[in-house]
Amino acid sequence: MLFSNQQISLGLDISDRSIKAVQLKRNIKGKLELQALSQLDLPPTIFEEGEIKDSDGLTQFIIKLITKPQIGSFNTSYVTACLPETKTFIKVIDIPPMPEKEIHNAVKWEAEHHIPIPIEDTYWDWQKIDTPAKNNARLPVLLAVVPKNIVDTYTAAINNAKLTPLALEVEAVPIARSLLPYSNSNPKNTATMIIDMGATRTSLIVVDLNSIQFTVSLPISGRRVTETIARSLKLSEEQAEKAKIICGLDPKKSHGAIGEILHQTIDDLINRIRESIIFYREHFPEGNKIGEILLCGGGSNFKLIDKHLSSSLELPVKKGDPWLNLKPSPPPLKNNELISYTTALGLALRTSLNSSDYSL
Ligand SMILES: Nc1ncnc2c1ncn2[C@@H]1O[C@H](COP(=O)(O)OP(=O)(O)OP(=O)(O)O)[C@@H](O)[C@H]1O
Ligand SMILES: [Mg+2]
């Protein structure tokens, strides 16, 4: 359920304060292009930190999302959805090399040492990871674990909208699928860090050796920045949001109280990124050095954030391109809008891709 492969479906990105859907189709030349795209904001009553508080409300919003898209029209009832980053657990664990049929039980046994709740209360899945040929002493696998109540409540809300969930993915998986070139070739010799700056949280993902290696969810969010600006300057949320977008990290505009809030947020982010880079170096000694950072989510539109992060971290930093694996088909929106659909596009790509889409 968390990793397997299935048929065409729409990608449904469910967040605490927004839902987004994307469906892809094949054109007459067999190339993938957009079928439909849609987004709705959610009121604060639907979710609380990834847990559904109003299932019927969520179902109604999903129905509206699918029946009134901004672009095109949805024509499948199959869904690939994502689970909330803060409620999912994804980690590389090591087991001794062993015959294929014994791996599942060994992973279950090992997983129990890594997760804070009984494995019986979770749905879990695993994938083998490419490992440098030199090491035959261990078998690293990527473990994904989600509490059963989260999966069951998400599935119920989707089913009640008369849709059929084919798969639920941990969000880091579709994000990486969207932003990194699909390739069966040998792994690169550098690791990539992806930073998804959303409205409710920032997620940091390290991808190396053709696999996600670790993820961390940071309590830095676009909404919190806007709320802090509104509170400090006694502005409405709309005014504060506008001020945030206009100022960004532009030294000509971002000074005084707003500049302080924005710079403070980015400095916090830089510190957390530094800690994660050190964590990766120390805990994944066979991993490659992090060679670049890709940004996504609406917060990646923050003016000059790429330059600021790049000079502070001394690494190349750029905004990701969620349409990368869909070229040469023209993107339906400008990158600064499409970047918010990175997760939804990655979810839709899961069941749309096949190897003929790429020159490997
Ligand atoms: N130009 C900009 N500068 C700064 N922030 C921006 C800009 N444009 C959008 N944002 C912020 O991006 C956020 C929305 O991003 P996104 O659509 O990725 O969030 P989300 O997916 O709904 O949230 P999450 O994934 O955290 O649950 C908002 O907080 C918004 O203020
Ligand atoms: Mg998001």
Side-chain angles (χ1 to χ4, degrees), residues 77-129:
S77 58
Y78 291 109
V79 170
T80 301
C82 68
L83 294 161
E85 187 73 41
T86 48
K87 291 282 184 273
T88 52
F89 177 88
I90 187 163
K91 189 177 182 194
V92 176
I93 60 170
D94 285 337
I95 56 169
M98 61 181 67
E100 195 75 24
K101 62 181 185 335
E102 292 171 22
I103 295 178
H104 189 79
N105 278 341
V107 171
K108 182 178 178 197
W109 190 83
E110 184 61 31
E112 285 173 339
H113 301 294
H114 294 270
I115 57 171
I117 53 173
I119 193 101
E120 290 71 33
D121 295 344
T122 70
Y123 295 114
W124 58 280
D125 203 353
W126 58 274
Q127 255 181 1
K128 274 202 276 185
I129 291 183

Side-chain angles (χ1 to χ4, degrees), residues 118-147:
I119 193 101
E120 290 71 33
D121 295 344
T122 70
Y123 295 114
W124 58 280
D125 203 353
W126 58 274
Q127 255 181 1
K128 274 202 276 185
I129 291 183
D130 290 342
T131 164
K134 58 185 189 281
N135 191 338
N136 300 319
R138 63 185 196 95
L139 178 65
V141 297
L142 182 64
L143 170 72
V145 184
V146 191

Side-chain angles (χ1 to χ4, degrees), residues 13-16 18 20 82 171 175 196-201 203 296-298 339-344:
D13 171 11
I14 306 177
S15 294
D16 278 14
S18 72
K20 300 172 189 129
C82 68
E171 193 173 356
I175 290 176
D196 173 19
M197 305 177 70
T200 62
R201 86 283 162 292
S203 297
C296 67
I339 200 75
S340 280
Y341 290 89
T342 302
T343 300

Side-chain angles (χ1 to χ4, degrees), residues 138-167:
R138 63 185 196 95
L139 178 65
V141 297
L142 182 64
L143 170 72
V145 184
V146 191
K148 275 187 177 161
N149 71 315
I150 295 288
V151 173
D152 294 346
T153 49
Y154 275 58
T155 306
I158 295 169
N159 279 330
N160 289 339
K162 305 264 185 303
L163 299 169
T164 307
L166 287 182

